Amino acid sequence: MQILQADKAKVNRLLKTARGQIDGILKMIEEDRYCIDISNQLMATQAILNKANKEVISAHMKTCVKEAITQNKCDEKIDELIAVIDKLSK
């Protein structure tokens, strides 16, 4: 199994931003803030998490999948990508 090839600083920054937003959402809930405001913050957090996931998947395709193709061992990597796409489409 290979190690994470994504831009770790970028992924860390995105995840820390999402964590901060989640903390803010929890505070909004404790303060009984307006439902739509909370929903908007939840969607913004989801967008950041999606962006971080895109970075990880993109790096995986550019490194791990590319390497598997050059070594004629791509079936496993393709199956992994199909599984991820299946999860994303739900």
Side-chain angles (χ1 to χ4, degrees):
M1 181 169 291
Q2 296 181 350
I3 59 170
L4 178 66
Q5 297 296 318
D7 181 344
K8 291 176 185 160
K10 183 176 183 178
V11 173
N12 273 327
R13 182 177 40 80
L14 289 166
L15 292 176
K16 287 178 182 180
T17 300
R19 180 175 56 195
Q21 284 190 298
I22 290 170
D23 289 340
I25 293 165
L26 290 168
K27 185 176 179 183
M28 290 173 77
I29 292 169
E30 290 170 4
E31 295 172 351
D32 291 325
R33 298 275 297 274
Y34 187 55
C35 299
I36 297 302
D37 292 341
I38 293 170
S39 179
N40 285 331
Q41 290 303 308
L42 286 166
M43 289 186 285
T45 304
Q46 287 172 326
I48 290 172
L49 291 172
N50 287 338
K51 193 172 183 178
N53 193 33
K54 181 180 175 185
E55 177 68 28
V56 171
I57 291 170
S58 177
H60 177 69
M61 291 174 69
K62 291 176 182 178
T63 57
C64 301
V65 174
K66 185 177 179 180
E67 182 180 315
I69 290 170
T70 61
Q71 295 177 357
N72 238 2
K73 299 177 181 179
C74 59
D75 288 342
E76 179 184 344
K77 299 300 178 194
I78 290 172
D79 289 341
E80 288 175 345
L81 289 173
I82 290 169
V84 168
I85 291 168
D86 185 48
K87 290 176 186 177
L88 289 171
S89 66
K90 290 184 181 182

